[in-house]
Amino acid sequence: MNAPQAITVTLNPAIDQLVTLDALLPGQVQRALGSMQAPGGKGINVAAALAGLGVSTAALGVLGSDNAGMFEALFAQRGIADACLRVPGQTRTNIKLVADGGRQTTDINLPGLALAEAHLDAVMSALARYLRPGLAVVLSGSLPAGLPADSWARLQAQAVAAGADVLLDTSEAPLAAALATAPHAAMPWAIKPNREELQAATGRRLDGRDALLAAARRLLDRGLGLAVVSMGEEGALFASAQGAVIARPPQRARGSSVGAGDAMVAGMVAARLRGLDLADTARLSTASALAWLQAAPAREVDADRVQALAASVLLEPCQWP
């Protein structure tokens, strides 16, 4: 495989067990309508979606050697370069309880493999072999036990120093630590939190549209290239130096939303690699998420389908407050 256009880094991957129910009734015995397992973790999902969009991709992370086979099969099937480290033990299983026709998903995220600083050093060494100017580096997901909150910030600084375009998709203290870097020194190219995650990371109430726009503007002024904020059924805010728009799909897709945000991240990366402007980035990213939803439970996107959906994405221009 030639040098990849993108590499995803997943420090806390998981095997997702999706259990489908008519309705979630706490405290009661219920019969599941169905169940399936799939390799997951945010960066793994991003890699799968990028492959569907025609982007050559490598997946870097840490997998338990006892149950790595499911991930290896995915990488082989989708043509993703396997750069993951193996450690003794099992990759965790996350349980997704999907009810009401996919309108409601309850996540039960189990503890992952406990890692140490030496594992982070090994990931940084592996990443260094890929880094070059223009490479898209996706750092996404939670951090496992044993790693400090600044782990993503350290990987981010390493990749930015090499001239790579970093997209960071995490939350809580790791997001706050990564955004606390000095202005223009090691800021990521893009982030994709939801409203609550951005609010927690910035320490500000972000109740209205103007508050969200102001928070995005502050980050852009500090060196961020693109801020994308998921707002649920309201769509997603896309903000850059070119302005700001809210993107909405033409219709709401039924089914589990697991991984749809990761497919949006893949769309953002593909748009960056193609040199698209803000409006077309919003269309492609939203279409990628919608295509993932429509293809559930296959966990894939089709480039032709995404292109067709992109033309129907609704864009609403925003004025800076």
Side-chain angles (χ1 to χ4, degrees):
M1 183 178 186
N2 296 328
Q5 297 169 281
I7 183 168
T8 67
V9 185
T10 313
L11 295 177
N12 205 16
I15 292 174
D16 289 337
Q17 181 163 356
L18 276 69
V19 179
T20 307
L21 306 166
D22 271 328
L24 179 61
L25 304 174
Q28 298 188 31
V29 176
Q30 295 179 247
R31 290 186 181 277
L33 300 177
S35 177
M36 63 165 288
Q37 285 190 330
K42 294 181 72 64
I44 302 298
N45 293 336
V46 174
L50 281 170
L53 290 170
V55 176
S56 59
T57 304
L60 172 59
V62 183
L63 299 175
S65 57
D66 292 355
N67 59 350
M70 189 175 293
F71 295 89
E72 293 165 355
L74 173 71
F75 299 153
Q77 179 187 16
R78 304 289 175 91
I80 299 166
D82 181 359
C84 291
L85 309 179
R86 307 297 196 270
V87 298
Q90 291 192 344
T91 300
R92 64 182 175 147
T93 297
N94 286 342
I95 302 170
K96 314 287 187 181
L97 303 177
V98 182
D100 192 20
R103 294 183 182 89
Q104 181 186 73
T105 300
T106 300
D107 294 336
I108 303 175
N109 292 343
L110 302 183
L113 293 162
L115 302 185
E117 289 273 354
H119 296 110
L120 181 61
D121 291 341
V123 169
M124 295 183 75
S125 295
L127 179 60
R129 294 194 287 271
Y130 287 89
L131 288 176
R132 67 180 191 280
L135 176 72
V137 178
V138 180
L139 309 175
S140 60
S142 60
L143 295 176
L147 293 188
D150 70 346
S151 295
W152 285 133
R154 288 159 63 179
L155 284 159
Q156 175 179 293
Q158 176 192 16
V160 172
D165 293 326
V166 174
L167 193 156
L168 176 69
D169 186 15
T170 189
S171 61
E172 300 179 343
L175 176 60
L179 294 180
T181 55
H184 300 279
M187 287 287 280
W189 152 64
I191 59 171
K192 195 210 69 63
N194 61 35
R195 186 196 304 267
E196 292 73 24
E197 290 167 346
L198 185 59
Q199 183 170 275
T202 59
R204 297 171 181 260
R205 293 290 302 175
L206 303 175
D207 292 330
R209 180 182 299 185
D210 283 353
L212 276 180
L213 284 164
R217 189 62 177 266
R218 284 189 292 270
L219 291 170
L220 295 174
D221 289 344
R222 293 182 50 233
L224 188 75
L226 175 65
V228 178
V229 185
S230 300
M231 302 184 296
E233 293 187 0
E234 298 177 61
L237 171 68
F238 287 74
S240 75
Q242 297 177 17
V245 298
I246 291 177
R248 299 182 181 88
Q251 73 276 339
R252 188 185 188 280
R254 295 178 62 84
S256 170
S257 62
V258 175
D262 305 322
M264 177 172 280
V265 166
M268 293 165 64
V269 170
R272 175 69 169 181
L273 292 169
R274 297 177 192 177
L276 300 186
D277 63 14
L278 178 67
D280 284 339
T281 294
R283 291 188 182 96
L284 180 64
S285 303
T286 303
S288 181
L290 183 57
W292 180 281
L293 285 168
Q294 292 181 346
R299 294 193 165 202
E300 62 185 6
V301 298
D302 175 79
D304 292 337
R305 179 62 178 158
V306 170
Q307 200 62 38
L309 288 169
S312 64
V313 170
L314 307 175
L315 296 185
E316 178 188 349
C318 298
Q319 297 296 322
W320 295 111

